[in-house]
C-alpha cells in the first residue's frame, strides 16, 4: 500500500461523515478571540457538540480531555452573526474546553444525584455511621483530595450544596467513604443541545436546551425523538480567583415538565389510541398497542363476555369500573382473551360518587390507587393490582415498557383529555381533622379498662360535630387511632358513614335536620358522644361486645408517630 | 436556489446549472482545492473542471448531497493536478504534510502491493465509525479536506497542539486498525 492509496481511500468516506463535518457552523459563528477580533460578548455561539443521548451523559458524564461522549450532533443554524463592535475577551476558555468541563462536572454532580459511576470502592474497608455502611473510595487519597477535585469543577458554594444534598459521602479518619446508592432519572427528560455565550472576561454561560419527551416515549430506553418541547437551563461558568468553575449547577432532571403534559395530544394525536366509555376517553400510547388490551364497561363489552360463559363467570364488572387495561404477551397468544393467567391487569379506572370516593379512597387504607380527577359529579381513580407479578424474563422488557407507558399516559392525560379538575387525597391526609368543630377524645379499651395494664391495647376515637355545633349538634366518630405498637407507631383510620352517593358532609347535614326536627329515641343517640363512640366500636371495628364502661375520655390525640 | 432545482437544471441540460453551482458552491470548492494545491489560480482552474465533470456526471447520477458531490470531484481533481505538478518535486499545499502523516499509518508497507481499494475504503469507513465525533471531524478536516492544523484549531476553538495531539492519537488508532485488518506489515 502507498500513502496515496490511503489518502484516496479516505476520499471515499461515507457522505454521512462529511455531512457531519459540513453541518457544523462554528466557523461561521465562532472564532477564538485573538484570531477574529470581531467577536461579540453577547452573541450566542452555536457549539458543534450537542449531546443527544441523555442517559450516557447522566451515567457517564464526559471524560476529559478527550471531549464529550457524543452519540449525535445537534446544530442550530438559526443564530446570526454577532455584532462587530463589541469588546473582545482574549482569555476566556473556548467552547470545547467548557463542554469538557461541563461533561466532567455532570459526572461529578451525578455522583450525588444519580449514580456513583466511575467511583471505585474497597469492599473490605467499611465503617458504619448512623446504621449505614460506608465503603472507602479508593480514587482519592483523602477526603480533602475529593473536595479539592470538586473545587476544580464547582465553586465552593456549589460544592457545599452537593455535599449537603446527600448523606452518601462521609469523611472518616480523613478518608472519603461512600454509601453507594442509585437514584432514578426523570424519564420525561430527553437529550440536550449546548449553547455557549461569553458574557464578559469572567463569565461564560453554557445553556443546555433540554428536550422534553412525549409521554409515549417516556419509558422507552431509546427514545426516537418524539420531542414535544424544550427547556433552557443555564450553567454559569465563572473565573473565581485563578480558575474557571461552575457557580451554579442545576439538576436538569428536576425540570418541572407539567406544562408540557398533553402537548402531543394536540400536535401529534396519531401517537395515541382512544377508548371511550361512559362519556370518558382513555388515551393510551399507540406505540405499545400490541402489548395491551382494553376492556370497557359498555353493553358491547358485556355482551361479548356473555358469549363465553367461562369468561363471563370469571368476570365481575362492578358499576364503578370504566376501563380495565391488561398486558398482552408479545407473541399474541390468547389474543382477545383478557382473563387468563397470561394476561396481567395493568390497572383499572373507576369512577366514584363523592360518598363512594370518601369510603373507598379516603377511608380505605390501601395503597396502589391514584386519583385522576373530578368532573363535578364523579371522582376518577386508577387502581393498580396488588397481587405479585411474575413476568417471564423474555417478556420483562416489553412488559415494563408497556406498563409504565400506559400508567403514565393514564396518569398524565386522562384528566387533561377529559377536562377534569385536579383532585388529590393529599389535602385530606394533611389535615388533622375531617371536620372543623370541637372534638372529644375517647380511649377505647377492648379488654376493658380494668385490664389496661395487662393488655396495653387501646384505640383512640376522635369525635367531631360535622353539622351544627354546640349542645344541639350531632356527633360522629371521624377517625380512630390504632393502638400504638412497641415502637410507638400506629395508624390513623378515617371513618366515613355509609352515605350512599352522598358525601359524608351532606349525609350528616341531613341527619342533623332530622335530629333537630324530632329528636326521636333512635336519633337522639347522635347527640350523645359516648353513645356515638360505642356504636362506632361495634359497627366500624366490629366489637359487638363494646360498652360504655370500656371508654375513658382523654384530653387529646395520642402521642407517638401516626400514619395513614 | 435549492440543490434540487440545480440538479433539475443539470437533468434538463440547462447550462445555467453550472452558473448556479458556481454561485452557490464555487468558493467552497475553491477552498477545498486550495487546501491541496496552495494556489488560488490552480484551485479556480480545478473548480472549472469540477463543473465540467459534474455536467458529464449528472445525469445519470443524482447526488444526494450536492455540496459533497462537488467536494469529492474537486478533491480528486486537485489531487490529480497536484500529483502531475509534483511528480518530481515537493512543496505546494498541505498535501505533502498530510501524506507524510498518513505514511505513519501504513508503516513499512509503502510499496506497490496489490489490494482492493474498495475494501480499503470500507475499512477506513468502519474505522471512522468507531471514532468519537470530534476525533472523526478533525481527522476528516485534515485528511479529507487537507486543512492545516491552524485552520482546524480555529474551526473548533482549540489549540493547534491540541489538534496535533488528537490527530496523532487517531493516526495511531488507524495504524493499529489497518494492521489488524492486514493492510500493513
Amino acid at each position: 500500500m502507498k500513502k496515496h492509496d490511503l489518502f484516496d481511500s479516505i476520499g471515499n468516506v461515507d457522505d454521512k461523515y462529511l455531512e457531519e463535518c459540513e453541518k457544523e457552523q462554528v466557523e461561521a459563528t465562532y472564532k477564538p478571540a485573538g484570531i477574529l477580533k470581531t467577536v461579540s460578548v453577547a452573541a450566542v455561539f452555536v457549539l458543534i457538540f450537542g449531546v443527544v443521548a441523555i442517559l450516557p451523559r447522566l451515567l457517564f458524564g464526559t471524560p476529559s480531555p478527550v471531549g464529550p461522549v457524543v452519540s449525535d450532533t445537534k446544530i442550530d443554524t438559526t443564530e446570526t452573526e454577532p455584532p462587530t463592535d463589541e469588546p473582545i475577551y482574549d482569555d476566556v476558555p473556548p467552547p470545547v474546553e467548557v463542554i469538557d468541563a461541563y461533561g466532567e462536572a455532570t459526572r461529578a454532580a451525578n455522583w450525588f444525584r444519580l449514580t456513583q459511576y466511575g467511583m471505585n470502592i474497597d469492599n473490605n474497608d467499611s465503617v458504619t455511621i448512623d446504621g449505614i455502611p460506608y465503603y472507602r473510595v479508593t480514587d482519592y487519597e483523602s477526603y480533602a483530595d475529593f473536595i479539592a477535585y470538586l473545587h476544580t469543577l464547582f465553586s465552593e458554594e456549589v460544592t457545599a450544596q452537593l455535599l449537603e444534598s446527600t448523606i452518601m459521602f462521609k469523611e472518616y479518619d480523613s478518608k472519603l467513604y461512600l454509601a453507594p446508592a442509585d437514584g432514578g432519572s426523570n424519564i420525561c427528560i430527553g437529550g440536550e443541545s449546548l449553547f455557549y455565550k461569553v458574557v464578559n472576561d469572567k463569565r461564560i454561560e453554557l445553556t443546555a436546551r433540554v428536550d422534553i419527551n412525549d409521554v409515549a416515549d417516556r419509558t422507552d430506553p431509546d427514545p426516537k425523538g418524539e420531542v414535544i418541547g424544550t427547556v433552557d437551563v443555564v450553567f454559569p461558568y465563572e473565573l473565581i480567583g485563578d480558575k474557571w468553575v461552575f457557580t451554579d449547577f442545576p439538576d436538569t432532571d428536576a425540570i418541572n415538565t407539567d406544562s408540557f403534559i398533553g402537548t402531543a395530544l394536540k400536535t401529534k394525536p396519531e401517537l395515541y389510541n382512544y377508548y371511550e366509555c361512559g362519556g370518558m376517553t382513555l388515551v393510551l400510547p399507540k406505540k405499545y398497542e400490541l402489548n395491551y388490551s382494553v376492556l370497557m364497561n359498555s353493553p358491547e363489552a358485556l355482551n361479548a363476555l356473555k358469549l363465553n360463559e367461562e369468561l363471563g363467570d370469571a368476570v365481575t364488572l362492578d358499576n364503578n369500573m370504566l376501563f380495565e387495561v391488561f398486558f398482552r404477551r408479545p407473541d399474541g397468544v390468547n389474543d382477545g382473551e383478557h382473563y387468563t393467567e397470561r394476561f396481567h391487569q395493568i390497572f383499572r379506572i373507576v369512577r366514584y360518587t363523592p360518598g363512594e370516593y370518601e369510603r373507598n379512597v379516603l377511608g380505605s387504607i390501601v395503597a396502589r390507587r391514584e386519583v385522576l380527577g373530578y368532573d363535578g359529579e364523579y371522582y376518577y381513580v386508577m387502581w393498580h393490582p396488588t397481587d405479585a407479578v411474575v413476568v417471564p424474563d423474555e417478556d420483562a422488557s416489553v412488559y415494563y415498557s408497556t406498563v409504565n407507558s400506559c400508567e403514565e399516559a393514564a396518569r398524565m392525560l386522562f384528566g387533561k383529555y377529559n377536562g377534569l379538575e385536579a383532585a388529590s387525597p393529599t389535602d385530606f391526609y394533611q389535615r388533622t381533622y375531617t371536620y372543623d368543630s370541637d372534638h372529644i377524645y375517647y380511649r377505647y379499651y377492648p379488654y376493658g379498662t380494668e385490664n389496661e395494664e395487662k393488655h396495653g391495647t387501646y384505640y383512640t376515637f376522635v369525635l367531631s360535630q360535622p353539622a351544627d355545633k354546640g349542645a344541639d349538634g350531632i356527633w360522629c366518630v371521624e377517625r380512630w387511632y390504632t393502638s400504638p405498637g412497641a415502637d410507638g407507631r400506629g395508624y390513623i383510620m378515617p371513618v366515613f358513614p355509609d352515605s350512599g352517593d352522598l358525601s359524608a358532609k351532606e349525609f350528616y347535614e341531613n341527619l342533623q335536620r332530622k335530629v333537630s326536627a324530632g329528636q326521636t329515641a333512635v336519633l337522639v343517640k347522635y347527640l350523645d358522644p359516648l353513645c356515638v363512640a360505642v356504636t362506632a366500636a361495634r359497627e366500624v371495628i366490629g366489637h359487638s361486645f363494646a360498652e360504655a364502661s370500656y371508654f375513658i375520655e382523654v384530653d387529646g390525640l395520642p402521642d407517638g408517630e401516626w400514619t395513614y | 436556489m435549492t440543490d434540487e432545482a440545480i440538479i433539475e437544471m443539470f437533468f434538463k441540460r440547462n447550462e445555467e446549472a453550472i452558473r448556479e453551482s458556481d454561485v452557490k458552491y464555487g468558493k467552497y470548492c475553491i477552498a477545498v482545492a486550495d487546501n491541496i494545491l496552495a494556489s488560488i489560480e490552480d484551485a479556480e482552474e480545478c473548480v472549472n473542471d469540477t463543473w465540467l465533470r459534474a455536467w458529464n456526471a449528472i445525469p445519470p447520477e443524482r447526488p444526494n448531497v450536492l455540496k459533497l458531490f462537488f467536494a469529492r470531484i474537486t478533491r480528486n481533481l486537485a489531487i490529480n493536478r497536484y500529483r502531475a505538478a509534483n511528480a518530481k518535486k515537493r512543496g505546494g499545499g498541505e498535501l505533502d504534510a498530510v501524506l507524510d502523516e498518513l505514511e505513519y499509518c501504513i508503516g513499512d508497507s509503502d510499496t506497490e502491493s496489490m489490494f482492493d481499494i474498495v475494501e480499503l475504503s470500507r475499512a477506513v469507513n468502519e474505522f471512522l465509525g468507531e471514532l468519537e465525533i470530534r476525533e472523526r471531524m478533525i481527522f476528516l478536516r485534515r485528511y479529507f479536506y487537507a486543512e492545516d492544523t491552524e485552520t482546524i484549531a480555529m474551526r473548533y476553538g482549540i489549540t493547534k497542539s491540541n489538534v496535533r495531539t488528537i490527530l496523532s492519537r487517531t493516526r495511531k488508532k488507524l495504524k493499529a486498525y489497518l494492521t489488524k485488518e492486514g493492510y500493513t506489515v
Side-chain angles (χ1 to χ4, degrees):
Chain A
M1 185 202 305
K2 296 180 75 66
K3 55 192 178 187
H4 286 284
D5 298 324
L6 182 54
F7 188 66
D8 290 346
S9 296
I10 294 170
N12 293 328
V13 63
D14 277 350
D15 269 358
K16 62 182 179 184
Y17 298 140
L18 293 179
E19 283 184 79
E20 197 174 69
C21 281
E22 294 296 340
K23 274 183 182 173
E24 54 86 4
Q25 296 294 308
V26 170
E27 187 178 33
T29 55
Y30 172 72
K31 296 285 186 183
I35 296 175
L36 181 65
K37 293 293 182 184
T38 56
V39 176
S40 163
V41 292
V44 176
F45 299 134
V46 182
L47 299 182
I48 52 172
F49 300 118
V51 183
V52 168
I54 190 67
L55 195 57
R57 181 186 69 74
L58 288 170
L59 291 177
F60 311 131
T62 306
S64 179
V66 175
V69 175
V70 179
S71 64
D72 201 349
T73 305
K74 279 198 167 179
I75 309 295
D76 188 329
T77 58
T78 61
E79 303 296 343
T80 56
E81 284 283 355
T84 58
D85 55 352
E86 300 285 354
I88 303 303
Y89 300 106
D90 288 333
D91 298 324
V92 298
V96 171
E97 278 183 29
V98 181
I99 294 176
D100 277 356
Y102 171 74
E104 191 169 350
T106 300
R107 186 179 68 152
N110 284 340
W111 289 338
F112 298 86
R113 296 166 177 168
L114 187 64
T115 183
Q116 295 79 54
Y117 178 80
M119 277 198 157
N120 296 296
I121 58 173
D122 182 351
N123 288 316
N124 298 316
D125 185 351
S126 68
V127 295
T128 299
I129 303 172
D130 296 333
I132 301 172
Y134 288 80
Y135 300 88
R136 195 169 86 74
V137 179
T138 56
D139 302 303
Y140 302 93
E141 282 294 317
S142 66
Y143 186 81
D145 284 352
F146 177 57
I147 301 299
Y149 171 69
L150 294 176
H151 282 161
T152 65
L153 303 170
F154 307 110
S155 64
E156 291 188 8
E157 291 76 14
V158 174
T159 301
Q161 286 166 11
L162 289 171
L163 289 167
E164 287 169 6
S165 69
T166 176
I167 58 169
M168 286 190 296
F169 294 97
K170 293 284 186 189
E171 180 181 12
Y172 180 81
D173 194 21
S174 300
K175 302 284 196 301
L176 174 65
Y177 282 79
L178 163 69
D182 291 339
S185 60
N186 186 344
I187 54 178
C188 199
I189 301 297
E192 64 186 30
S193 302
L194 300 174
F195 295 83
Y196 169 97
K197 173 183 175 182
V198 180
V199 177
N200 56 43
D201 60 347
K202 291 185 172 53
R203 181 182 173 97
I204 291 168
E205 288 181 355
L206 194 64
T207 299
R209 182 158 296 166
V210 182
D211 292 339
I212 308 300
N213 285 341
D214 173 54
V215 65
D217 269 337
R218 283 181 164 197
T219 54
D220 190 336
D222 181 22
K224 294 297 189 296
E226 295 295 353
V227 176
I228 56 174
T230 61
V231 172
D232 285 355
V233 181
V234 176
F235 296 85
Y237 194 57
E238 297 186 82
L239 182 63
I240 306 293
D242 60 351
K243 63 185 179 186
W244 287 84
V245 292
F246 288 100
T247 53
D248 188 16
F249 210 80
D251 184 359
T252 53
D253 248 25
I255 291 172
N256 185 341
T257 57
D258 288 354
S259 62
F260 292 94
I261 293 171
T263 301
L265 286 174
K266 294 175 185 169
T267 59
K268 297 180 180 177
E270 69 278 7
L271 290 176
Y272 300 97
N273 286 330
Y274 303 83
Y275 302 90
E276 293 187 7
C277 179
M280 306 303 287
T281 303
L282 173 65
V283 182
L284 294 177
K286 194 177 186 68
K287 186 172 186 172
Y288 297 103
E289 64 183 357
L290 295 178
N291 302 115
Y292 62 74
S293 177
V294 179
L295 179 67
M296 288 170 282
N297 193 357
S298 64
E300 294 77 17
L302 290 170
N303 284 334
L305 287 171
K306 283 175 185 171
L307 295 175
N308 185 328
E309 288 186 5
E310 185 180 347
L311 288 179
D313 289 343
V315 176
T316 53
L317 290 177
D318 62 63
N319 290 332
N320 300 102
M321 180 276 223
L322 285 178
F323 304 97
E324 208 155 343
V325 181
F326 295 84
F327 174 67
R328 189 160 64 184
R329 281 197 58 158
D331 59 12
V333 173
N334 296 337
D335 192 14
E337 298 177 8
H338 303 83
Y339 299 95
T340 72
E341 291 179 355
R342 308 191 77 170
F343 282 83
H344 180 76
Q345 186 196 91
I346 298 175
F347 62 80
R348 63 166 26 195
I349 292 178
V350 302
R351 67 173 161 198
Y352 290 131
T353 62
E356 290 170 331
Y357 173 73
E358 288 173 340
R359 293 192 297 279
N360 293 307
V361 178
L362 302 183
S364 175
I365 311 301
V366 179
R368 306 286 293 156
R369 78 269 195 273
E370 297 173 68
V371 181
L372 301 176
Y374 176 60
D375 66 1
E377 186 175 4
Y378 294 104
Y379 289 88
Y380 295 84
V381 180
M382 176 162 65
W383 286 88
H384 304 272
T386 53
D387 53 325
V389 184
V390 179
V391 183
D393 285 347
E394 64 270 23
D395 292 349
S397 175
V398 69
Y399 173 80
Y400 288 111
S401 293
T402 305
V403 169
N404 290 339
S405 196
C406 288
E407 285 183 346
E408 281 289 275
R411 190 175 291 131
M412 298 293 172
L413 302 180
F414 189 82
K416 195 95 178 175
Y417 193 88
N418 294 294
L420 304 182
E421 296 172 27
S424 166
T426 305
D427 288 347
F428 173 80
Y429 291 129
Q430 286 178 340
R431 287 178 359 218
T432 306
Y433 299 103
T434 307
Y435 307 104
D436 295 327
S437 75
D438 289 338
H439 304 287
I440 293 175
Y441 309 89
Y442 286 110
R443 274 193 184 182
Y444 162 55
Y445 293 91
Y447 295 95
T449 52
E450 71 278 12
N451 291 319
E452 175 189 0
E453 293 299 320
K454 183 177 176 183
H455 294 287
T457 299
Y458 64 87
Y459 309 137
T460 304
F461 282 32
V462 179
L463 282 78
S464 304
Q465 291 188 297
D468 291 351
K469 317 301 177 194
D472 296 328
I474 61 172
W475 290 90
C476 73
V477 172
E478 65 151 71
R479 62 188 60 209
W480 58 281
Y481 288 63
T482 62
S483 194
D487 57 1
R489 297 177 181 180
Y491 294 98
I492 304 169
M493 313 293 279
V495 177
F496 291 96
D498 187 5
S499 58
D501 293 340
L502 296 178
S503 68
K505 187 170 186 298
E506 292 170 322
F507 172 83
Y508 283 128
E509 284 171 351
N510 288 345
L511 185 60
Q512 178 74 59
R513 278 195 288 274
K514 290 179 186 174
V515 171
S516 299
Q519 294 200 4
T520 64
V522 175
L523 295 175
V524 74
K525 65 181 181 183
Y526 290 104
L527 296 171
D528 178 357
L530 182 56
C531 185
V532 168
V534 173
T535 303
R538 292 174 179 172
E539 295 180 356
V540 176
I541 302 180
H543 290 182
S544 57
F545 51 82
E547 53 187 68
S549 63
Y550 290 10
F551 289 79
I552 296 175
E553 187 173 349
V554 293
D555 290 336
L557 297 173
D559 295 329
E561 287 187 40
W562 306 89
T563 54
Y564 285 99
Chain B
M1 178 172 284
T2 65
D3 287 359
E4 290 73 20
I6 294 174
I7 292 170
E8 268 323 296
M9 290 167 76
F10 273 109
F11 267 82
K12 290 176 180 172
R13 313 314 291 161
N14 182 344
E15 292 181 9
E16 280 296 299
I18 291 176
R19 197 181 70 81
E20 291 295 343
S21 298
D22 194 43
V23 167
K24 191 168 184 181
Y25 295 117
K27 287 181 181 173
Y28 166 77
C29 289
I30 287 172
V32 170
D34 187 47
N35 284 337
I36 295 168
L37 298 169
S39 161
I40 287 293
E41 292 79 7
D42 287 353
E44 284 174 349
E45 285 182 26
C46 188
V47 174
N48 285 335
D49 290 343
T50 297
W51 309 137
L52 182 60
R53 291 290 183 93
W55 181 260
N56 292 333
I58 311 172
E61 284 220 43
R62 185 179 283 275
N64 289 326
V65 184
L66 192 60
K67 183 179 183 181
L68 300 182
F69 180 77
F70 290 149
R72 285 182 196 281
I73 293 176
T74 305
R75 181 180 187 268
N76 290 336
L77 289 172
I79 291 168
N80 289 341
R81 183 179 283 259
Y82 167 86
R83 285 171 179 162
N86 296 275
K88 294 180 181 178
K89 62 183 178 67
R90 295 177 63 86
E94 273 298 307
L95 198 54
D96 281 333
V98 166
L99 291 173
D100 286 347
E101 289 169 16
L102 286 177
E103 195 168 22
Y104 164 85
C105 301
I106 59 175
D108 296 325
S109 62
D110 189 8
T111 56
E112 294 284 355
S113 57
M114 295 296 292
F115 65 93
D116 187 347
I117 189 75
V118 175
E119 274 304 294
L120 179 59
S121 300
R122 180 198 57 76
V124 168
N125 265 310
E126 285 187 2
F127 166 76
L128 289 173
E130 291 178 9
L131 294 179
E132 284 186 13
I133 186 169
R134 185 172 65 164
E135 281 180 299
R136 182 163 58 239
M137 290 203 284
I138 290 175
F139 182 89
L140 289 175
R141 282 289 165 199
R142 181 66 175 158
Y143 301 120
F144 183 93
Y145 293 102
E147 287 184 352
D148 60 41
T149 52
E150 184 171 354
T151 302
I152 298 172
M154 207 165 60
R155 185 183 289 282
Y156 296 133
I158 56 179
T159 62
K160 281 199 294 182
S161 68
N162 202 347
V163 172
R164 284 194 290 268
T165 302
I166 291 170
L167 288 173
S168 170
R169 194 187 303 137
T170 311
R171 285 197 303 270
K172 283 180 184 171
K173 287 182 186 176
L174 177 57
K175 182 178 184 180
Y177 187 85
L178 293 176
T179 303
K180 191 185 77 176
E181 294 290 309
Y183 285 100
T184 64
V185 293

